Amino acid sequence: MLEEVERWLERRSWSTADRPLDRLLAAKRAMGPAGTVSVVLPALNEEATVGAIVGEIRRELMSEAAPLVDELVVMDSGSTDRTAEVAERAGARVVHRDTVLPRIPAVPGKGEVLWRSLMATSGEIVCFVDADLRDFDASFVYGIVGPLLTDPEVHLVKAMYDRPLEAGGTVVPAGGGRVTELVARPLLNLHWPQLAGFVQPLGGEYAARRALLERLPFPVGYGVELGMLVDALACVGLDALAQVDVGVRHHRHQDSHALGRMAATIYRTAQVRLARAAMVRPVLTQFDRGPEGGFEPRVHEVVVEERPPMITVPEYAARRAA
């Protein structure tokens, strides 16, 4: 590990206990408008979990006693279940992907709704939380928002956590994050060794200053977390990045084919940043057992379309200037 990264781990890695909530509330008051916080939950068919997450945030971080979060938005990515209804009933403002910047046709993907969420929110600190978390605790939010409220030199904070793999009644304590260990971590260590200290580089829980996010391109799919981390390093430098230990993350696990598609997208996102050149054939072939007993190929396009920095979008620039 680079000496620079070793020093960074000592200087920029914390736990939620390092910044109690009362300290953060005082820091937020002192910051005024610069301390406004928006929480965004990107959601696609998450009716089973989104309500509990929204309810926890509203009870613990949007009460009169603890008004840390100013805005709670669920960005619906085209759900066909009751995600929007459940989220609204729990107290979130639900914004449908297609209603934001309608002149730009929406494409499927997590990064797409995160990018559009900048237009749909107003906080100067934006916190992203995946909507499929179970046993969610408010510390996931105030843990990663905390450094942004207390240290002006920090611009982006990732959550770090244990990620157990739960399958068939068996729990492997550190078995989750397979794409991280098999794809993202090797890529970062080999090509961006300054980022080797991040425990969960692909984690969906992170917070950043709007002034940084609006300057970054957003890969529209699963490559958004890796792309954002690499681009933020180039934009503000390693010392402006940090991570906070929030404990344990429980969530729904993807099947192996979905993980393969995710891995291919992340790899392509990394390759674009390495070369900014035309890619080798951007498709992934996977195999399913067919009805006749043989294996049948399934070909998937590896999409890594990106949205431009939000500050370059005329509608957003006009709103910020108003």
Side-chain angles (χ1 to χ4, degrees):
M1 184 178 291
L2 298 175
E3 289 186 9
E4 178 186 6
V5 177
E6 292 180 351
R7 293 193 299 270
W8 177 84
L9 282 168
E10 291 292 327
R11 175 174 165 79
R12 293 300 193 207
S13 294
W14 299 290
S15 73
T16 54
D18 292 328
R19 292 176 175 82
L21 185 54
D22 57 352
R23 177 186 171 194
L24 300 184
L25 291 169
K28 175 184 172 67
R29 288 192 295 269
M31 289 179 69
T36 52
V37 176
S38 296
V39 175
V40 173
L41 276 65
L44 177 62
N45 296 329
E46 302 295 357
E47 66 175 1
T49 50
V50 68
I53 298 172
V54 169
E56 172 76 1
I57 294 172
R58 287 200 61 87
R59 283 191 305 273
E60 301 299 326
L61 301 178
M62 299 182 76
S63 67
E64 186 175 341
L68 188 77
V69 173
D70 302 283
E71 184 177 36
L72 176 55
V73 174
V74 169
M75 290 293 299
D76 191 345
S77 188
S79 297
T80 57
D81 66 358
R82 297 172 56 251
T83 291
E85 177 186 343
V86 171
E88 286 177 344
R89 186 178 299 165
R93 176 164 63 93
V94 175
V95 177
H96 296 274
R97 176 193 62 198
D98 296 345
T99 66
V100 181
L101 292 171
R103 72 172 177 84
I104 303 174
V107 298
K110 179 183 180 182
E112 177 80 355
V113 294
L114 297 185
W115 181 73
R116 290 175 187 264
S117 77
L118 297 183
M119 189 70 194
T121 57
S122 58
E124 292 301 319
I125 294 171
V126 183
C127 175
F128 299 118
V129 176
D130 281 350
D132 66 342
L133 301 187
R134 295 184 285 106
D135 303 323
F136 176 81
D137 188 89
S139 62
F140 268 53
V141 171
Y142 72 75
I144 55 179
V145 167
L148 298 167
L149 292 172
T150 59
D151 190 335
E153 295 182 354
V154 174
H155 291 259
L156 183 147
V157 183
K158 297 279 292 187
M160 56 178 169
Y161 35 72
D162 294 315
R163 195 172 179 183
L165 176 63
E166 305 166 18
T170 301
V171 178
V172 181
R178 289 161 287 175
V179 176
T180 292
E181 299 305 328
L182 296 176
V183 181
R185 200 176 308 284
L187 283 171
L188 292 176
N189 277 263
L190 290 170
H191 299 296
W192 296 280
Q194 286 179 294
L195 298 174
F198 278 94
V199 176
Q200 297 290 353
L202 299 185
E205 290 68 50
Y206 48 99
R209 300 191 191 280
R210 179 175 293 270
L212 171 62
L213 293 173
E214 65 188 12
R215 295 161 60 195
L216 301 179
F218 276 59
V220 299
Y222 281 121
V224 64
E225 274 84 25
L226 183 135
M228 187 178 296
L229 202 55
V230 170
D231 294 339
L233 174 68
C235 192
V236 294
L238 180 61
D239 199 51
L241 313 180
Q243 60 186 349
V244 173
D245 187 350
V246 299
V248 181
R249 183 186 196 267
H250 299 278
H251 67 113
R252 184 184 67 252
H253 294 284
Q254 304 277 1
D255 62 34
S256 59
H257 282 191
L259 293 177
R261 294 190 292 273
M262 187 184 304
T265 301
I266 289 166
Y267 180 77
R268 190 177 178 210
T269 300
Q271 204 169 25
V272 166
R273 277 154 178 76
L274 286 169
R276 293 293 177 183
M279 294 293 301
V280 177
R281 191 166 178 262
V283 297
L284 173 72
T285 301
Q286 297 178 316
F287 294 87
D288 291 319
R289 180 76 68 176
E292 304 301 321
F295 286 98
E296 296 183 353
R298 301 283 187 269
V299 178
H300 305 273
E301 183 181 359
V302 180
V303 179
V304 71
E305 180 181 352
E306 298 193 3
R307 294 304 188 189
M310 184 59 82
I311 198 65
T312 67
V313 176
E315 294 95 326
Y316 181 85
R319 195 195 74 177
R320 289 288 279 171

